Amino acid sequence: MSAPAAPGSIWCRYPDFALTIWNEKFNGARPLLDRAGQPLAAQALDEAGRVAAILVWSALPGASRHHWGSDCDLVDRAALPAGASVELLGKHYAADGCYARLSAWLARHAHAYGFFLPYDLDRGGVRPEPWHFSFAPLAVPAQAALHPDLLRAALAGSKLLGWETVNRELPDVFARYVSAVASAPPAALAAAALSRATRPA
Ligand SMILES: [Zn+2]
């Protein structure tokens, strides 16, 4: 692939603790935010309200695209101000944000490497995530294989807080927060197929 190197270092993040994050948001141990990113008091919401609020910013455990091995969150650690910790916030990826160079580079070249942004727009479910990239040849079949019944079976024996609500509303939750993503661009699929075809056996 002849695209120039990305600015700085790219850090790939694979969270493996979706259930812990979910439960801590549910019980108020971790901040819960509304769609605008403003804090919510978990204790003031009923179970359905907490579930809806968590899903805006966190994947339903078992439904995170990160678990497919196809998706990662990208930051430019070299561009972080000294002493600052990594935060996945939209403002950092805007034209005046610390990751603006990375974001511009990815906008130009990600498809050439087979990657795309599944959460590019607000589709009424997950908020836009300009840091989250999917590798199309793995993510597309993984998404096609995931079904609400598969999730229900996996979660039924888990310690997921709010399970009654999730179970009752699973088809809607699935449609809004799992299925409602961008389609893989043909360019990303074509680039990945090309790189497979030219890889030495
Ligand atoms: Zn992510």
Side-chain angles (χ1 to χ4, degrees):
M1 202 62 66
S2 59
S9 59
I10 289 185
W11 178 59
C12 213
R13 180 170 172 266
Y14 299 96
D16 192 25
F17 47 97
L19 182 64
T20 301
I21 292 174
W22 177 282
N23 284 347
E24 289 183 358
K25 288 190 172 185
F26 192 93
N27 66 23
R30 192 181 277 259
L32 190 60
L33 305 177
D34 66 14
R35 294 190 72 77
Q38 297 303 308
L40 286 169
Q43 316 303 343
L45 299 170
D46 62 13
E47 186 167 303
R50 293 186 208 186
V51 166
I54 296 169
L55 284 165
V56 173
W57 298 103
S58 297
L60 181 65
S64 169
R65 299 175 70 92
H66 286 280
H67 297 172
W68 303 347
S70 58
D71 286 46
C72 55
D73 297 331
L74 301 177
V75 302
D76 179 2
R77 287 196 115 162
L80 264 183
S85 54
V86 170
E87 285 183 301
L88 298 176
L89 297 173
K91 66 181 182 183
H92 293 334
Y93 294 79
D96 58 350
C98 60
Y99 302 144
R101 278 186 71 218
L102 171 66
S103 211
W105 188 92
L106 288 165
R108 282 191 66 188
H109 301 295
H111 293 181
Y113 288 102
F115 285 85
F116 71 102
L117 282 168
Y119 308 118
D120 55 343
L121 306 171
D122 191 341
R123 293 177 168 81
V126 178
R127 298 277 289 129
E129 294 190 354
W131 51 85
H132 183 121
F133 280 80
S134 280
F135 185 58
L138 294 178
V140 170
Q143 181 164 354
L146 190 58
H147 187 274
D149 290 341
L150 198 63
L151 264 181
R152 180 175 278 117
L155 289 171
S158 76
K159 298 191 181 329
L160 185 83
L161 298 179
W163 165 240
E164 268 185 38
T165 298
V166 170
N167 189 28
R168 189 177 61 242
E169 300 180 2
L170 196 53
D172 288 341
V173 165
F174 192 89
R176 187 166 176 185
Y177 297 98
V178 181
S179 299
V181 295
S183 299
L189 287 163
L194 191 64
S195 86
R196 261 201 309 277
T198 56
R199 192 184 303 148

